Every structure is written in structure tokens, then in C-alpha cells.
Amino acid sequence: MGPLLLPVTGSNDDYRKPQAVGDLEIIDILARMEAINSSGPGLTDLASSVGLSPFQLNRRLKRAVGDTLGNYQRRLRLGLAAALLTRSDHNILDIALQTGYGSQAAFNHAFARRYGLPPRKARLIARSKAPQPLLRHRAFADTTKPHRHHALPVLAMRFQGGYDHVPGYWRAFATMLRRAGVDLAGRQAVGIFYDDPGVTPEHLIRYDCCLLDHERLSERLAGPFRGDVVRSGEYASLDVAGPYSAVADAVFAICAVWMPMHRRRLTASPAYEFHRQAPWNDDGIIDASVFIGFE
């Protein structure tokens, strides 16, 4: 889905093959600490909540997602900051505050440690490297519409790896659900993607395969499943059909063409795919509406 606009420097991130995150206690920890805008509990409190020592929790996190808790939290906060920096016109102080930094100076220091550049210079370089919209992106933007979403419960399963592997994630998700006794006929599938491939290395990209869960299946199914929610808010909506790579074109069209045209800005919300065709079919074809949050 495109080259890195801001390569990570001096990173200790473990490379790993695309995988499902299957550790039930770690799934719970991830859900709690991915609330980026809140201070949240620290390592000791999180470890105690699942009956582990801080050392044991970090060891299991490292095994599951390739990093310790502190590094993982910093990576998520700075990945979001880099996406907002390169894909929107938010000022740098606003980005610092949105991603949990108490001052622009603290943010500048943390950002430069991860990306090797101060935020202002990184924004200029990333924009100079970004591809220019093509006719197909402008055509996509012409069919993009604003949409207001209400909160919706989902049953989710977390995967980590590149977007090229998403069709395989859906097949694995469906297999696990069938083993758990869930009938997939007529179910609404929802994909949640969190990370910008322009700033997040492929092997660290998070993607959730989900079903709408008005029945509260999450209350009776154990890991690797968990309950989550599609966030309420304003979204730009675009229909896509074809190979999964069409999603990258849709996202680019919304962020690079539609939002500037309508004087809208990207938000920190995850993006969503609401599927009209079951995505666990073997053909790897997507038929869905893509939703990108704006303000």
C-alpha cells in the first residue's frame, strides 16, 4: 500500500510474520492501553490486573506484538502523530496534545528519536515524497459522501502484519468463528484498520476482523475474540469493489483529494470497512464501503 514516507530510525521493533494475536490476557491489555488519548494505567497496574509481574507482562507482550508495553505505547502514539502530521494540516501543538504529550517540546523530542527528524521538517519531507492524485483518485473523491456513524458493537479478532495479508486474515477469522459454533450466514463483516502504511512498518500494522455483535457474542466467546465498538462520529464514505488494493486508492482519494476539497481534516479515529460481500471468500475480492473519520 505504498512506501514509507517516514522511515523509522534506530528501531528495535521485532520483525514477525503476519499473525493473529491469540493471548487472551494480552488481548485485554491491548484493548485497555490502546486508548491513546488517556493516561491509562501503567505497567505495574496492568500486570497486576492479570496476575503477572511487570517482567512477565513485558515478556508476553514482546512475544505477542514484538515490543514491551512502554515501547508499544510510544510507537502507537507517535505513529498516530506521524499520520496526522503527514495527512492533515493540524498544527504541531494540536497533534502533540491529541497524542498525549504535555508540551510541544516533549513531543518534538520523542518524535525526533523515532523518525530522526523534528516534526516540522518531517512534514515537509513526507509531503514532498507523497504521490500526486491521479484521475482515478479524483473520480473516487467525486463519489465520496459524508456520513454520520452511531456507535456499533462488534466481535473483533486482532491481526498484525501488512495489509496485503488481509484476505488471509478474514479466512482465518471465519475458520475460528466456525470452530466456535458461530453461523456466518447473513453476518455483517467490519474491518478496522488503525495504522498508516506511510509511517508504520508493514510487520507492525494492526488490523481487526470483526462481526457486528448486537447479540453480544463477545460475552460468551473467549480469546482470540474480544468485544469492541465502531466509534460514533463523522466519516467520509466511499464504496469500493475489486481486489483489496482498491482500499488503498480509496483511502488516498479521501485524504488527499476529498478532505482538502471540502476543508475537512483527518481525525484520530480508526478507519472502517463495512463489507457487503463476505470477505472470507477465497477470491480475495472486496465489496465494501470505506469510512475515514473527519472533522
Side-chain angles (χ1 to χ4, degrees):
M1 294 182 76
L4 284 173
L5 302 177
L6 292 176
V8 178
T9 61
S11 172
N12 293 320
D13 301 326
D14 277 356
Y15 179 79
R16 57 197 45 241
K17 294 180 179 179
Q19 62 177 19
V21 179
D23 186 321
L24 179 57
E25 290 174 330
I26 295 304
I27 290 169
D28 179 62
I29 293 293
L30 293 179
R32 293 167 61 189
M33 73 180 187
E34 286 181 2
I36 293 174
N37 293 331
S38 65
S39 56
L43 172 62
T44 300
D45 289 339
L46 283 170
S48 177
S49 72
V50 291
L52 299 174
S53 71
F55 174 79
Q56 289 171 323
L57 175 56
N58 268 333
R59 185 173 60 184
R60 284 174 61 176
L61 278 166
K62 185 82 172 175
R63 189 183 308 129
V65 298
D67 224 334
T68 61
L69 185 138
N71 287 338
Y72 187 81
Q73 288 176 314
R74 281 189 291 275
R75 170 157 58 84
L76 297 192
R77 292 164 70 190
L78 291 168
L80 172 58
L84 293 172
L85 191 76
T86 58
R87 308 293 190 185
S88 78
D89 62 356
H90 290 276
N91 68 55
I92 292 173
L93 178 58
D94 284 347
I95 292 173
L97 297 176
Q98 281 191 64
T99 53
Y101 289 90
S103 70
Q104 187 168 329
F107 170 64
N108 288 350
H109 178 72
F111 190 93
R113 285 192 65 185
R114 178 135 183 103
Y115 294 104
L117 296 165
R120 197 174 306 279
K121 187 172 182 180
R123 169 173 269 172
L124 292 174
I125 290 175
R127 288 182 174 178
S128 73
K129 293 169 62 177
Q132 294 301 306
L134 303 175
L135 285 177
R136 69 177 183 272
H137 301 123
R138 299 189 187 282
F140 266 150
D142 288 341
T143 61
T144 298
K145 298 177 181 178
H147 183 89
R148 177 156 189 85
H149 249 313
H150 299 290
L152 295 168
V154 293
L155 176 73
M157 182 174 171
R158 167 63 53 85
F159 293 85
Q160 184 171 303
Y163 287 120
D164 290 347
H165 300 280
V166 166
Y169 296 164
W170 281 109
R171 290 190 290 273
F173 178 61
T175 297
M176 294 292 291
L177 286 169
R178 291 186 181 111
R179 287 176 182 170
V182 177
D183 182 0
L184 298 180
R187 298 278 186 180
Q188 172 70 70
V190 180
I192 307 178
F193 49 108
Y194 300 85
D195 299 301
D196 185 327
V199 297
T200 301
E202 180 180 278
H203 64 286
L204 299 175
I205 287 173
R206 299 164 294 156
Y207 184 92
D208 289 350
C209 295
C210 309
L211 296 179
L212 283 190
D213 191 22
H214 296 297
E215 306 164 58
R216 303 293 180 184
L217 292 171
S218 61
E219 295 179 0
R220 67 175 178 84
L221 296 180
F225 305 109
R226 73 180 197 284
D228 205 343
V229 66
V230 172
R231 299 182 193 178
S232 62
E234 298 290 337
Y235 292 87
S237 171
L238 178 58
D239 294 341
V240 296
Y244 189 77
S245 58
V247 173
D249 280 332
V251 172
F252 183 70
I254 291 171
C255 294
V257 183
W258 187 87
M259 287 192 186
M261 182 188 305
H262 295 274
R263 298 182 179 180
R264 302 295 189 177
R265 299 196 301 184
L266 185 69
T267 69
S269 173
Y272 301 97
E273 303 155 354
F274 278 74
H275 292 262
R276 287 180 292 274
Q277 173 182 303
W280 41 78
N281 293 335
D282 288 335
D283 55 14
I285 298 298
I286 184 173
D287 182 7
S289 295
V290 174
F291 292 86
I292 309 291
F294 70 81
E295 59 183 18

